[in-house]
Amino acid sequence: MKYFIANWKMYVGLEKSRALAMQYAGLVLPQDVTGVICPTTLSFTEVSRAVAGTNWQLGAQNVSWTPEGAYTGAVSAEFFREAGARYTLVGHSERRYIFGETDHDVRKKIMAALSVGLTPILCVGETADDLASGKRQYRLKKQLMLALEDLPNADRVFIAYEPVWAIHGIGSGIACLPADVADIHNWIKEEVKQYGISEPTIFYGGSVNAGNCAAYLTLPNVHGVVTGTASLHPAEVKSILSFLATC
Ligand code: PGA
């Protein structure tokens, strides 16, 4: 199984999300490809309606770790599940570095997601400063450890390697070299064994598009891609899906 994750971030509001979802609904997912749309919370129900009857699945971009109650502005994992989510991103770089989410928060969100049956997609990635100061592995090791050590059902957590510097907007928009992605994914596979994850599902994210997706999706430990900017363009999505059909 390969995965295509579309993270629409805060790029499109209600009307545009509805229109985009209807275009997605017309794109057939190849066999053995899981496609997950992560719309804004506000558009979630509309997108869900637009893709009803297709194989597209839904994911949250972020969840609260608290289940319900007096938590202004928060949306719980259970609320997302009730609205049709099967997945949730957790600890995306924009959450960590713009909104100040800590490794501790990330762990609580993973636990909240697992407790209601959502598959958490744990995002990890080093910053440009980490890279320049030789701390890439240190950062990844720490993020993985604080999220997964002694975590019950850790094998149900998916992992997305998303170097912060490679993401459009928060980073440079220059994708990580496929050779580096190959090395990091191989390393992550070994690293998470200690947390009871023997066959991890690992995605790459960071400036993936139709032109470069093949270089990642043909690597042995790359089980899918997370796309932000490219996911807003149905023609790009269609090309990526066509390539996935050949994998
Ligand atoms: P990008 O975003 O494709 O726009 O770089 C990827 C991500 O943040 O998941």
Side-chain angles (χ1 to χ4, degrees):
M1 179 63 71
K2 295 268 189 192
Y3 292 80
F4 172 79
I5 315 292
N7 178 8
W8 293 355
K9 307 194 178 184
M10 206 179 77
Y11 282 124
V12 278
L14 191 58
E15 284 304 323
K16 286 184 181 165
S17 294
R18 185 187 291 133
L20 191 54
M22 282 165 69
Q23 290 181 284
Y24 268 59
L27 300 173
V28 180
L29 284 166
Q31 225 183 352
D32 295 328
V33 173
T34 297
V36 182
I37 305 170
C38 304
T40 64
T41 306
L42 191 63
S43 323
F44 205 87
T45 312
E46 281 296 329
V47 172
S48 172
R49 275 197 204 112
V51 299
T54 73
N55 288 331
W56 286 98
Q57 298 190 1
L58 288 174
Q61 295 181 11
N62 177 39
V63 291
S64 166
W65 64 80
T66 46
E68 63 177 41
Y71 303 104
T72 303
V75 181
S76 71
E78 169 58 20
F79 288 3
F80 274 109
R81 190 208 56 75
E82 192 188 359
R86 300 268 301 271
Y87 298 84
T88 181
L89 299 174
V90 181
H92 188 280
S93 294
E94 288 145 19
R95 299 298 320 165
R96 292 179 189 263
Y97 294 102
I98 300 174
F99 295 102
E101 208 165 273
T102 66
D103 285 313
H104 187 55
D105 298 333
V106 169
R107 180 172 179 108
K108 287 194 289 188
K109 290 180 180 203
I110 291 174
M111 292 172 76
L114 287 174
S115 75
V116 300
L118 295 187
T119 298
I121 301 171
L122 164 64
C123 303
V124 296
E126 79 283 356
T127 63
D129 281 352
D130 291 334
L131 192 64
S133 55
K135 285 189 171 167
R136 181 189 240 171
Q137 268 191 19
Y138 161 83
R139 181 67 56 209
L140 297 174
K141 202 176 180 60
K142 193 171 164 203
Q143 289 177 340
L144 290 168
M145 182 182 79
L146 293 176
L148 300 172
E149 192 174 39
D150 298 328
L151 180 78
N153 300 314
D155 58 337
R156 286 169 45 203
V157 178
F158 288 1
I159 295 161
Y161 171 55
E162 303 207 324
V164 183
W165 52 268
I167 297 174
H168 275 107
I170 192 171
S172 63
I174 298 169
C176 189
L177 288 175
D180 287 352
V181 172
D183 285 350
I184 296 293
H185 280 230
N186 293 344
W187 176 82
I188 289 175
K189 185 174 182 195
E190 290 307 309
E191 183 68 13
V192 299
K193 279 188 179 152
Q194 63 188 304
Y195 307 126
I197 312 179
S198 53
E199 287 299 330
T201 298
I202 316 173
F203 310 143
Y204 169 70
S207 298
V208 174
N209 55 42
N212 64 16
C213 69
Y216 302 108
L217 288 165
T218 46
L219 299 171
N221 288 314
V222 175
H223 306 102
V225 286
V226 183
T227 59
T229 318
S231 73
L232 304 173
H233 305 284
E236 288 273 314
V237 176
K238 192 174 179 189
S239 299
I240 297 171
L241 294 179
S242 306
F243 181 74
L244 277 164
T246 68
C247 285

